[in-house]
Amino acid sequence: MSSVVLYFQVHQPLRIKKYRVFDMGNSHEYFNDEGDSSLNNKKILRKVAAKSYLPANELILKLLKRHKEFKASYSFSGVFLEQIVKYAPEVLESFQKLVKTGKVEILGETYYHSLSFFYSRHEFESQVVLHEKTIKKLFGYTPKVFRNTELAYNNDLAHWADKKYLGILAEGWDSFLGWRSPNFLYKPQGTTKIKLLLKNYKLSDDIAFRFSQKSWPEFPLTAPKFASWVNQINGNGDVVNLFMDYETFGEHQWKEHGIFDFLENMPGEILKHPDNDFVTPTEACKKYPTMDEVDVPYVVTWADTERDLSAWVGNQIQKSAIDYIYSMEREINKTRDARLLDDWRKMQTSDHFYYMCTKWFSDGDVHKYFNPYESPYDAFISYMNAASDLKLRVNEKLNQTHIEHIALQKKWAKSVAVS
Amino acid sequence: MAKNVLMIGWELPPFNSGGLGEACLGLSKALAKKGTNVTFVLPQKVDLHFDFMNLVFANVAEEGTDLVNEAYQSYEVWVKGKKFKIKDAPSGYVAGALKYAKRIKEIAQKAVPDIIHSHDWFTFPAGIAAKEATNAPFVAQVHSTEIDRTGGNSPNQTVFEIEKLGVQSADKVIAISQMQRNILNTSYDVSPEKIEVVYNGASFFEKEKLPPTLEFYKSAGYKIVLFLGRITLMKGPEYFVRAAKRILDYEKKVIFVVVGNGDMFSQMLSEAVNLGIMNNFIFTGFLQGEDKHRIYQTADIYLMPSVSEPFGLTVLESIGNGTPVLLSKQSGVSEIVSNVLKTDFWDIDEIANKVISAIRYPALLTVLKDESKKELPNISWDRSADKCLHVYQDLAQ
């Protein structure tokens, strides 16, 4: 028996507009580019909605109706949900329709698509709770399986999730798996009940990265061919975990190259084999036992050939930016100002740091493709200027609160004296 | 196989005042290393000797006009510098160029070249003459055009015509950037297929550490922003001064060091005075050799706001000296370096934004420095020579 687990990541960051040093102290809007640039969040969201989210949702709904065994799971970042509520409510509705079928599971993550787990446990937990509340409100659902931003995973994260979730997702990376296969469930080291689902990166990336690559020997990828690869796992594994960005469909891989036709035919082809089916992550956890214990003392992610955090915090500008933003935590919390807190958290979204990545920058590869800024340095400059402005606002607010506090004290002293 | 190349040049370092001489030397040296016999012709005798190529002098300026040691800027600038009125100005460069053509015949015949390769307009008449004398294919390399040098404002017609004649009669034209290829196509009517882009290379990838300078300012916490190049229209000195003003409005502890001479020197100076920021400026005049490298190494950032820069070798020099660069997008070098800051030359605000950010967030300069250095080995003269040999090969067949 081989169960295919589909998980799609749905996320759009709030990109920081070109924010110059001269804007500091004058404008406190960091995410509202309304021009023609690649930093106009609303424009990008609407574009991706038209090219990817809406047609993909329509197709998935059709597939859910066509094949009773077909299932899928999604993880939505809070910043994504916020944007569709505001700019594309029809996208929200179409996702709600999918969830209503009862065959679609939603995973838990941090609201702000952040790497907060590695910087502040307290902040991380607040963001997970916030995300949970949002999912409950919009979909009437409480996540039972967790996936961290960029699939960033280590033992500590599994320990944390053990108390709360049935399962957790990670990259099926050879460095810790060794000879073991990603096509089984595992028990994270030192945990009691949580189960680990590992991405089959070969098959996932065949779709997500290689689908339109003419230089790939397997090009063109067809649904029967893909199904035959899945069938090969039958008997050698319990699950085939296909994890990818949802934007794969229509945005990263184009309709013109046949990605939607592939998606439409893939479930039927897989289900032709009587021993294959589709399950959600929760069902996988309930259905299959763990094979072995895995020990991941270091952070593993789903990015680049290194599969570590170096795409986000690999160089000095990335490190200094992320350190700067987390160094504000105490003061931010002291202000008790919802707007400041929200701006601060939106600046934690991992994409901001990804845009500052200098790995392979001069070779113009995937990092350049995904970068809306002219260069990693432009990304850093706008980020730091905005973060510095935020810091000024925090200081101002704290001074003000301090002054108000003193005024209140004086007033109180006076009233006591009078009485 | 093109074994013998007759290079017709105008200047070579250290008897040079710009990138042309550096480029000719870098390319010739790399070609020689790959087994090419280079005969390099200069218009006038200088005290130079190279073991990798033959140096020949055409003795163009015997009669007293000093042609070398001074790069051609633009006809108008040159005339002004000589304090002549335009209408009765002697056409020194033009006359020199034509005389060069007269003298080249004998040299060319003696050299028996497989390829004639000449550099910029004042060597084009000589290139044409050499081709007539030997029948060897003629490659015209353009390092800068009259359009670049004048910023498109009243280019000298004679110079323009000579340039045009040169590139049109050449069997192949080498441009040093895509940007310049476009200019040659649109303004000089050369079909794009006839033009090959051969980027310049870096002469060194990492300069050894030199003793510091301007220590007084450094230890007092000042940041040093460098201008280095001829102080002339195409280098954008006025944008440098106006950006300096904008930067100083936000960051007081910055010193702007200006290295170079040129026709806009006094204009640059008085602009700094008018804006009330002269105290933050140091003018060093023209520097070369170790002095130049020391200044690069002392600077925190090298700013090249060129209005039109066919290539911009100084950018590679700066990177090799470990100094991060902010360059204008209107430069050829911007097509091949990634780990630098880039702006439009006219965007004073954006220049200031980036320099101020570099001052405030030190990680920026650290990463720019480390990452840009990694790019240099891919921008070597070796690579330029390979491309050049490719051009020769095609012509020799």
Side-chain angles (χ1 to χ4, degrees):
Chain A
M1 191 83 201
S2 229
S3 298
V4 175
V5 182
L6 285 176
Y7 140 61
F8 303 123
Q9 178 61 34
V10 198
H11 167 60
Q12 287 295 330
L14 280 160
R15 298 158 194 85
I16 295 172
K17 69 180 177 189
K18 187 180 190 97
Y19 190 91
R20 293 175 167 180
V21 285
F22 319 113
D23 297 320
M24 287 171 57
N26 295 320
S27 154
H28 308 311
E29 298 284 351
Y30 312 136
F31 314 103
N32 69 334
D33 186 315
E34 275 163 9
D36 266 343
S37 85
S38 48
L39 300 170
N40 181 330
N41 294 307
K42 180 177 170 180
K43 206 181 80 184
I44 294 167
L45 186 87
R46 297 186 70 102
K47 188 191 84 184
V48 181
K51 276 177 76 178
S52 172
Y53 302 141
L54 289 171
N57 282 359
E58 199 187 312
L59 183 54
I60 295 282
L61 188 65
K62 199 158 101 182
L63 290 167
L64 288 164
K65 286 180 180 160
R66 187 188 297 167
H67 308 286
K68 75 173 189 343
E69 304 90 337
F70 183 65
K71 281 160 190 168
S73 69
Y74 289 87
S75 189
F76 306 105
S77 74
V79 279
F80 168 76
L81 293 170
E82 225 175 85
Q83 291 185 77
I84 55 170
V85 166
K86 221 162 131 189
Y87 304 136
E90 69 279 17
V91 175
L92 177 63
E93 278 166 39
S94 70
F95 277 119
Q96 285 167 333
K97 264 192 212 158
L98 297 184
V99 177
K100 261 196 204 128
T101 63
K103 299 202 290 174
V104 166
E105 177 174 347
I106 305 175
L107 310 182
E109 66 165 294
T110 60
Y111 185 98
Y112 293 92
H113 199 270
S114 72
L115 297 168
S116 52
F117 182 78
F118 308 103
Y119 291 85
S120 162
R121 189 65 62 89
H122 173 261
E123 175 59 18
F124 169 74
E125 285 174 356
S126 311
Q127 290 186 18
V128 172
V129 170
L130 193 58
H131 182 258
E132 201 172 86
K133 281 185 184 156
T134 309
I135 296 297
K136 180 89 193 158
K137 192 175 129 208
L138 295 177
F139 297 99
Y141 187 93
T142 305
K144 297 175 200 68
V145 170
F146 188 75
R147 71 113 237 170
N148 196 23
T149 309
E150 317 293 1
L151 234 49
Y153 173 91
N154 63 8
N155 289 340
D156 289 346
L157 183 74
H159 293 168
W160 171 83
D162 197 18
K163 292 171 232 131
K164 199 170 157 149
Y165 298 97
L166 290 174
I168 185 164
L169 273 48
E171 177 79 4
W173 192 228
D174 314 31
S175 71
F176 64 86
L177 272 181
W179 55 270
R180 293 172 296 188
S181 149
N183 305 321
F184 292 100
L185 270 66
Y186 289 89
K187 174 172 142 29
Q189 189 250 22
T191 56
T192 54
K193 59 177 197 357
I194 198 164
K195 292 177 180 177
L196 180 61
L197 284 104
L198 296 172
K199 174 181 156 191
N200 183 316
Y201 66 82
K202 281 199 190 80
L203 289 175
S204 301
D205 295 349
D206 285 343
I207 302 172
F209 296 145
R210 289 181 281 273
F211 184 80
S212 323
Q213 222 175 74
K214 290 210 172 84
S215 59
W216 183 37
E218 298 294 346
F219 180 87
L221 182 60
T222 61
K225 190 191 282 180
F226 190 78
S228 76
W229 296 340
V230 170
N231 292 342
Q232 282 168 21
I233 292 168
N234 216 308
N236 301 311
D238 295 331
V239 286
V240 179
N241 294 324
L242 303 178
F243 300 171
M244 64 198 74
D245 284 337
Y246 199 37
E247 296 81 12
T248 297
F249 304 100
E251 170 70 8
H252 303 164
Q253 309 296 343
W254 299 355
K255 181 183 170 206
E256 293 74 12
H257 295 156
I259 191 68
F260 287 114
D261 299 330
F262 172 83
L263 179 61
E264 173 153 17
N265 295 316
M266 185 259 283
E269 289 295 330
I270 287 177
L271 290 169
K272 272 186 187 165
H273 194 301
D275 286 345
N276 288 342
D277 68 353
F278 284 85
V279 297
T280 68
T282 295
E283 287 169 346
C285 291
K286 287 182 176 161
K287 191 168 172 184
Y288 295 109
T290 55
M291 277 304 276
D292 197 359
E293 190 175 276
V294 291
D295 181 16
V296 188
Y298 43 83
V299 182
V300 171
T301 71
W302 69 357
D304 297 350
T305 48
E306 295 94 335
R307 299 296 205 282
D308 57 12
L309 282 172
S310 59
W312 296 275
V313 291
N315 69 32
Q316 286 304 314
I317 54 176
Q318 294 173 306
K319 281 184 191 134
S320 70
I322 204 164
D323 287 346
Y324 187 73
I325 207 73
Y326 282 106
S327 74
M328 269 187 239
E329 181 176 4
R330 243 173 64 111
E331 277 106 357
I332 287 277
N333 287 328
K334 256 202 253 170
T335 63
R336 293 167 189 279
D337 182 311
R339 171 84 206 278
L340 287 174
L341 180 66
D342 185 50
D343 278 350
W344 176 63
R345 286 177 162 171
K346 279 175 179 156
M347 297 199 68
Q348 292 177 37
T349 301
S350 63
D351 305 68
H352 301 313
F353 310 106
Y354 190 82
Y355 301 147
M356 301 173 197
C357 180
T358 47
K359 268 198 286 183
W360 323 120
F361 168 53
S362 35
D363 306 342
D365 79 333
V366 49
H367 287 273
K368 213 167 191 169
Y369 171 79
F370 284 117
N371 199 342
Y373 297 87
E374 278 182 47
S375 79
Y377 309 106
D378 288 81
F380 174 75
I381 289 171
S382 286
Y383 185 90
M384 288 306 289
N385 286 337
S388 305
D389 180 70
L390 179 66
K391 178 104 173 175
L392 287 176
R393 287 162 63 201
V394 170
N395 290 345
E396 207 171 289
K397 177 83 188 184
L398 289 178
N399 278 337
Q400 201 187 334
T401 321
H402 183 65
I403 290 163
E404 277 166 16
H405 184 69
I406 290 173
L408 273 176
Q409 267 185 339
K410 276 187 185 157
K411 211 169 158 189
W412 177 79
K414 224 172 169 181
S415 69
V416 170
V418 169
S419 64
Chain B
M1 183 66 189
K3 267 317 253 181
N4 296 319
V5 175
L6 183 71
M7 286 276 184
I8 308 178
W10 192 258
E11 57 168 33
L12 282 176
F15 302 100
N16 69 316
S17 58
L20 174 64
E22 303 280 353
C24 286
L25 182 65
L27 185 62
S28 302
K29 201 171 169 179
L31 282 169
K33 218 174 82 189
K34 291 179 186 292
T36 310
N37 294 325
V38 179
T39 303
F40 201 105
V41 195
L42 279 177
Q44 188 178 276
K45 186 158 175 54
V46 285
D47 189 13
L48 270 180
H49 177 78
F50 300 101
D51 48 12
F52 54 86
M53 65 182 183
N54 306 319
L55 209 52
V56 181
F57 308 107
N59 302 324
V60 169
E62 268 174 342
E63 289 103 46
T65 13
D66 190 16
L67 290 172
V68 268
N69 258 337
E70 187 179 351
Y72 172 77
Q73 298 166 11
S74 74
Y75 191 73
E76 197 190 344
V77 168
W78 184 78
V79 167
K80 257 197 227 151
K82 293 278 181 220
K83 306 245 185 318
F84 292 116
K85 287 199 189 96
I86 297 239
K87 68 174 167 47
D88 53 30
S91 42
Y93 276 94
V94 175
L98 297 177
K99 203 156 174 197
Y100 204 174
K102 236 184 238 170
R103 294 277 158 92
I104 204 77
K105 194 175 160 190
E106 205 181 315
I107 297 171
Q109 278 166 345
K110 225 165 143 185
V112 204
D114 301 309
I115 290 282
I116 295 153
H117 186 158
S118 71
H119 299 265
D120 272 3
W121 74 271
F122 19 68
T123 70
F124 288 171
I128 296 169
K131 181 182 167 146
E132 277 166 10
T134 63
N135 246 331
F138 166 41
V139 177
Q141 179 159 1
V142 183
H143 298 259
S144 79
T145 64
E146 185 68 3
I147 306 289
D148 296 307
R149 290 181 296 262
T150 57
N153 301 316
S154 54
N156 178 272
Q157 219 37 51
T158 314
V159 170
F160 180 80
E161 288 305 329
I162 294 177
E163 243 165 16
K164 195 163 172 176
L165 183 70
V167 290
Q168 291 192 341
S169 35
D171 297 292
K172 198 88 189 180
V173 175
I174 291 180
I176 55 174
S177 62
Q178 211 55 51
M179 187 179 88
Q180 203 184 41
R181 187 172 185 238
N182 296 342
I183 294 175
L184 287 169
N185 178 228
T186 53
S187 304
Y188 292 81
D189 255 347
V190 188
S191 75
E193 303 83 59
K194 197 175 140 179
I195 312 167
E196 202 65 49
V197 174
V198 178
Y199 290 109
N200 285 337
S203 312
F204 52 88
F205 302 148
E206 190 161 1
K207 188 83 190 160
E208 74 279 7
K209 203 101 200 89
L210 297 168
T213 157
L214 300 173
E215 281 160 288
F216 167 77
Y217 291 105
K218 298 283 266 187
S219 59
Y222 281 86
K223 295 288 175 195
I224 313 277
V225 178
L226 178 66
F227 178 99
L228 190 146
R230 229 174 317 112
I231 307 177
T232 190
L233 180 90
M234 71 184 269
K235 303 286 180 184
E238 54 184 301
Y239 299 99
F240 183 84
V241 180
R242 281 158 60 193
K245 167 71 178 150
R246 193 89 169 110
I247 293 161
L248 288 166
D249 287 343
Y250 290 81
E251 291 292 329
K252 305 285 172 229
K253 294 187 101 175
V254 186
I255 294 290
F256 297 87
V257 176
V258 179
V259 177
N261 284 320
D263 59 293
M264 281 178 74
F265 173 79
S266 55
Q267 201 178 323
M268 195 181 189
L269 198 102
S270 52
E271 182 81 2
V273 172
N274 290 341
L275 292 170
I277 54 174
M278 194 50 207
N279 285 343
N280 295 73
F281 269 76
I282 295 174
F283 289 87
T284 70
F286 179 71
L287 294 178
Q288 55 183 353
E290 296 285 274
D291 289 338
K292 182 174 73 173
H293 295 302
R294 277 179 74 188
I295 279 286
Y296 276 126
Q297 294 187 7
T298 301
D300 293 283
I301 187 165
Y302 169 49
L303 178 49
M304 188 184 80
S306 294
V307 174
S308 175
E309 186 72 66
F311 189 77
L313 266 178
T314 51
V315 164
L316 304 184
E317 281 182 356
S318 184
I319 293 171
N321 273 297
T323 303
V325 178
L326 190 163
L327 51 75
S328 84
K329 290 178 187 171
Q330 289 70 31
S331 64
V333 70
S334 146
E335 294 165 19
I336 49 164
V337 292
S338 302
N339 292 285
V340 293
L341 301 175
K342 297 180 185 181
T343 66
D344 290 307
F345 73 87
W346 44 261
D347 198 345
I348 304 293
D349 270 357
E350 186 54 13
I351 295 172
N353 176 43
K354 287 190 160 139
V355 174
I356 296 166
S357 298
I359 292 168
R360 290 189 182 168
Y361 320 125
L364 184 56
L365 291 178
T366 311
V367 175
L368 281 169
K369 176 181 165 168
D370 294 348
E371 295 300 320
S372 62
K373 209 174 256 180
K374 290 181 199 161
E375 290 189 73
L376 282 193
N378 294 324
I379 312 171
S380 62
W381 281 115
D382 245 21
R383 242 164 85 145
S384 318
D386 282 339
K387 274 213 89 176
C388 226
L389 285 172
H390 205 78
V391 171
Y392 294 169
Q393 197 107 24
D394 284 352
L395 286 175
Q397 275 165 11

